[in-house]
Amino acid sequence: MIQKLLTQFETIANALATDGIAVVDDFLSREEVQSIVAEDDFKNGLLRFKRAGIGQAQEHQINESVRGDFIQWIDPAKSSSPIQIYLQRMNELRGFLNESLFISLKDIEVHKTIYPPGSYYKRHLDQFKKDDHRKLSAILYLNEDWQETDGGQLRVYFPDRQKDYFPLAGRLICFRSDLLEHEVLPTQRARMSLTGWMLDQLNDLKHL
Ligand code: OGA
Ligand code: MN
């Protein structure tokens, strides 16, 4: 297990250093994904989560033409054990990246996310203009049996090309928040994920 984790972490570190993005298909096991999805708030997410906005604080606004997802910020102190397992693994990855890439990521912030059918998130960069503490974006997808016809691809824009990734259960996609513009193409099916960032400062939990 330790060996497997190290290999996976090394793969992520290498890919981030060379391409600015890493894609790992079995970051969480099927069982781990299922226990997160089975949680009551995920099952009822469209009722319980809030419409996501754009910008922060005073500039925070909800704009359906830009993004249509529903989110719920995770409070690590109050989270369930399946979520805690994920947060712990993300923090282990953070520590590994700090040592192997000589960077200094101090904390993570994560929200649960559901895109209802028909929704999308237009092309954007994850760093806010006035708050560039998000260094790495890390999204863990939770969708069993996703078909190509379900859409909902993450489209990533590189300087010379673009690439699409399906939101497959257990897949982690990690990329440079300051560099890579991306979008979520319209989804035909409810699309679930844990969306997070690695920060260069402690999370002040102001979202909670
Ligand atoms: C985001 C985002 C991509 C995805 O929440 O900022 O770009 O694939 N998500 O869910
Ligand atoms: Mn984004």
Side-chain angles (χ1 to χ4, degrees), residues 121 124 126 175 182:
Y121 193 163
H124 66 281
D126 279 352
F175 57 89
H182 54 281

Side-chain angles (χ1 to χ4, degrees), residues 35-113:
S35 52
I36 293 172
V37 171
E39 288 183 13
D40 192 47
D41 55 354
F42 245 119
K43 277 187 298 191
N44 297 300
L46 291 181
L47 297 174
R48 301 218 176 141
F49 294 7
K50 291 203 174 79
R51 281 296 314 269
I54 41 183
Q56 284 188 314
Q58 291 90 332
E59 292 125 61
H60 185 90
Q61 49 173 301
I62 288 170
N63 187 337
E64 286 182 48
S65 65
V66 175
R67 66 186 291 190
D69 55 327
F70 287 66
I71 68 167
Q72 183 182 69
W73 284 99
I74 292 171
D75 182 347
K78 293 186 196 146
S79 59
S80 65
S81 59
I83 293 284
Q84 277 179 21
I85 288 171
Y86 176 67
L87 297 179
Q88 193 181 333
R89 202 158 308 165
M90 288 303 288
N91 274 313
E92 284 162 10
L93 173 61
R94 183 174 62 79
F96 185 87
L97 295 177
N98 280 343
E99 287 185 12
S100 55
L101 301 178
F102 305 102
I103 51 180
S104 183
L105 300 165
K106 302 255 177 9
D107 209 349
I108 59 174
E109 58 180 8
V110 183
H111 62 62
K112 300 177 183 179
T113 314

Side-chain angles (χ1 to χ4, degrees), residues 5 10 15 26 33 72 155 190 192 204:
L5 283 181
E10 278 164 3
D26 52 356
V33 167
Q72 183 182 69
R155 174 166 290 172
M192 295 174 290
D204 54 16

